[in-house]
Amino acid sequence: MTDPNDTPFAADAYFLGPKSENGSWVRGEFQAILDHWYDWRRSIFADDPEAISEERRLSPTFLREREVLGQELRNLLVMLRSEVPKFTPRYIGHMVSELSLPALLGHFATLLHNPNNTSREVAKVGARMESEAIAMLAKMVGYDSAIAQGHFTSGGTFANFEAVWRARYRLDHALSLALVLAERDGDELDPFMAAHMGWRKFEQLRDDREVEESALRAASMVLGNPFEIAKRIGKCSGRDYLGPVLITPGNKHFSWQKAANLFGIGEDSFWNTPLDAQGRVDMTALAGRVDDARLAGRPVLCLTSVAGTTEAGEIDPVDKIADMLDALKQDNIHIWHHVDAAYGGFFCTMLGGKAEQVLAKQQQDALRAIARAQSVTIDPHKLGYVPYSCGAFVCRDEHAYRASSFQAPYIDRADTKDKWRCTLEGSRSGAGAAATWLTGKTLGFGPDKFGKIIAAGIQSRKIFQADMVKANPLVRPLDPSDTNIVCFSLAKPDEPLSVSNERTLAVYSKFQAHPDFSVSKTVLDAHSYGALIEAHVGTYGGECDVGQLALLRLVFMNPFWANPDTRDSLTPEFIGLLEDFTA
Ligand SMILES: *Cc1c(COP(=O)(O)O)cnc(C)c1O
């Protein structure tokens, strides 16, 4: 029997359930949405004539076309029966699972109205909902929601680009001003120091020294020819200007490499930082990166940390990074800190409640420190249980949110202005924002309900991992596992890594060919993960004969793993399969 106290109460009412257990009343909610939609059309401009008369609706052509549509729709539904069943607790593959009901209903209802949040002219309600939903996410990560700004994106990739875009404008403004002062007034020019002056100093200096906008424009790499401006910077500073660097941890998502490509800074300027034996960014190495940039006279465009890595769900020491950057501020060095919390942002829902106790203190502190960063990426379409595509980019304040050329350096409060000027994307669906909004209004983004569901996922991962280790001596979990993802290799004592890698990948292929469970794999490279790989292999006396570690990866997002009935039925089945596959 299920002990109702073991299941976070919210999960039961907020998901359809793997057997459509909530199907009958949810059908009523979908019906209510359709009724509203039909009625809305009828009630507005009620005196307008019908456009499709009953006579036309009964004509043979009409009936034939209707038949075609019905048939093809049914074909589509047949095809969709082969879609990956991500709703079931048996799906523990990637960072996606069952959608929540508020997200689904909010999305569907809004989809029918089709707001384009790029402008209030095409999204009166959609745009308002977006501002409110952004405020909810801002509050979730600890920003002051009254001054935080942001918008929804197609996903984490674009949210990360938004951060780099803004960091580049800030850098360009600062460098342009410094170049004007060097060329016009003979000031000394140190590109590293100048680039990190920050917005407040920029404004003060620009006003005190009476620098005209036209002068700034003539010294801007964004507006002018960057190669020519670099030459001028080189001339004033006494050495060649080699451009900015982007500092990311070795556990970063692939989107950062795309950002380096997209913004044209060159892959060589994309400075990856090694990780410690726990797979989190190594603080000594990180400080070294900043020093290297300073010595090379190359500004740091943006420094990124990751809360919830794509591979293993690990959380970088965001608090220690914030401390390091605060210390640099004492020397007037303001470096843009962006937290890529595409996956882990929703872990913040646990903070402030009992739920947070499933995390180690170190991870709680790291999550609390997201509030100290300039900007953050959050993907509601991952741990937010919201349909694709829905990412979010949130800034601490309007200074950080600025994205502009010199013409309009000030972006007014977002909720009074259209967004198109300050988003990389153009047209943007309002459905994801509404899905997030309705989730916030019901489940909330705090520890009472949402946080309990997230905590239950982490708890489920812990229980599953312990059961698996007890049952199969080959299972070698990556240690530590910070959150709701377990990665493990399959190795015998003293075995070379090449041999266990082969076994792990062979078992992965067998899972892929077997329909009962969806799992994923990841391969860590010694280039970034050297210390972690060595520590991992060391736990069973293995030998690092190759530079890669292959791991099976299980993501515990499905809320029903917290139900003992589900757990007790699926865990032995998985363990049995694993046994077969490793025999
Ligand atoms: C998933 C992920 C991204 C990219 O997000 P998309 O929504 O897939 O574009 C970026 N960073 C991290 C840490 C992620 O986990």
Side-chain angles (χ1 to χ4, degrees), residues 95 153-160 251-256 258 305-311 340-344 377-379 381-382 388-391 553:
M95 294 165 152
T153 63
S154 65
T157 299
F158 257 82
N160 287 341
N251 55 20
K252 49 110 204 12
H253 185 264
F254 189 64
S255 51
W256 289 98
K258 291 182 184 168
S305 56
V306 183
T309 62
T310 316
E311 264 97 19
D340 184 355
Y343 184 61
T377 287
I378 303 164
D379 258 355
H381 68 204
K382 284 180 176 164
Y388 294 118
S389 295
C390 185
R553 175 171 168 273

Side-chain angles (χ1 to χ4, degrees), residues 8-10 349-350 355 446-457:
F9 78 97
T349 57
M350 295 184 286
D448 294 342
K449 293 187 258 182
F450 205 109
K452 272 189 187 156
I453 292 174
I454 299 287

Side-chain angles (χ1 to χ4, degrees), residues 249-377:
N251 55 20
K252 49 110 204 12
H253 185 264
F254 189 64
S255 51
W256 289 98
Q257 191 151 351
K258 291 182 184 168
N261 294 157
L262 193 65
F263 289 93
I265 68 164
E267 290 201 11
D268 185 56
S269 310
F270 179 55
W271 286 7
N272 223 18
T273 310
L275 307 172
D276 64 16
Q278 281 80 44
R280 308 185 195 108
V281 73
D282 185 288
M283 284 306 298
T284 312
L286 190 66
R289 286 292 196 220
V290 176
D291 287 342
D292 289 347
R294 189 176 192 164
L295 287 174
R298 302 185 64 181
V300 179
L301 179 58
C302 170
L303 186 149
T304 299
S305 56
V306 183
T309 62
T310 316
E311 264 97 19
E314 307 284 317
I315 299 170
D316 277 336
V318 181
D319 50 328
K320 300 209 173 65
I321 297 170
D323 289 345
M324 179 187 94
L325 295 177
D326 277 352
L328 286 171
K329 281 178 199 157
Q330 304 302 313
D331 298 333
N332 292 315
I333 300 169
H334 297 258
I335 292 179
W336 189 293
H337 183 194
H338 177 78
V339 182
D340 184 355
Y343 184 61
F346 288 94
F347 290 137
C348 294
T349 57
M350 295 184 286
L351 300 177
K354 244 179 79 183
E356 72 178 26
Q357 289 166 10
V358 294
L359 292 174
K361 172 84 168 43
Q362 199 181 346
Q363 274 68 56
Q364 298 172 21
D365 291 345
L367 290 173
R368 284 204 165 85
I370 294 177
R372 297 166 63 189
Q374 260 76 23
S375 55
V376 59
T377 287

Side-chain angles (χ1 to χ4, degrees), residues 24 33 466 487:
S24 58
I33 292 170
C487 292

Side-chain angles (χ1 to χ4, degrees), residues 417-544:
K417 277 279 188 281
D418 286 346
K419 286 284 191 190
W420 59 270
R421 274 180 194 282
C422 51
T423 61
L424 280 173
E425 290 165 276
S427 294
R428 292 179 306 117
S429 162
T436 307
W437 184 89
L438 195 56
T439 307
K441 287 283 181 187
T442 52
L443 275 170
F445 296 124
D448 294 342
K449 293 187 258 182
F450 205 109
K452 272 189 187 156
I453 292 174
I454 299 287
I458 297 175
Q459 196 59 33
S460 302
R461 187 276 300 165
K462 289 183 182 177
I463 296 171
F464 187 90
Q465 180 173 330
D467 288 349
M468 196 168 54
V469 166
K470 208 169 357 153
N472 192 325
L474 296 180
V475 171
R476 314 283 175 186
L478 208 57
D479 180 50
S481 170
D482 286 349
T483 56
N484 56 3
I485 299 178
V486 54
C487 292
F488 62 98
S489 63
L490 296 160
K492 290 181 179 161
D494 306 332
E495 198 170 54
L497 187 52
S498 57
V499 177
S500 57
N501 277 348
E502 205 172 308
R503 181 184 302 110
T504 306
L505 292 174
V507 168
Y508 170 70
S509 300
K510 287 178 185 167
F511 269 111
Q512 273 207 308
H514 200 282
D516 287 358
F517 286 93
S518 289
V519 307
S520 54
K521 68 155 193 223
T522 186
V523 179
L524 303 183
D525 199 289
H527 187 64
S528 293
Y529 282 96
L532 177 65
I533 294 176
E534 208 163 294
H536 178 77
V537 172
T539 59
Y540 55 89
E543 180 207 335
C544 284

Side-chain angles (χ1 to χ4, degrees), residues 17-19 21 85-93 96-98 460 464 516-519 554-563 565-567 569-571 574:
K19 301 274 163 211
E21 292 89 329
K86 297 179 285 290
F87 66 86
T88 161
R90 289 171 183 273
Y91 186 90
I92 37 179
V96 57
S97 96
E98 177 70 306
S460 302
F464 187 90
D516 287 358
F517 286 93
S518 289
V519 307
L554 313 180
V555 181
F556 287 86
M557 279 180 62
N558 189 294
F560 297 108
W561 272 100
N563 185 322
D565 291 343
T566 300
R567 189 160 69 217
S569 126
L570 295 187
T571 308
F574 184 93

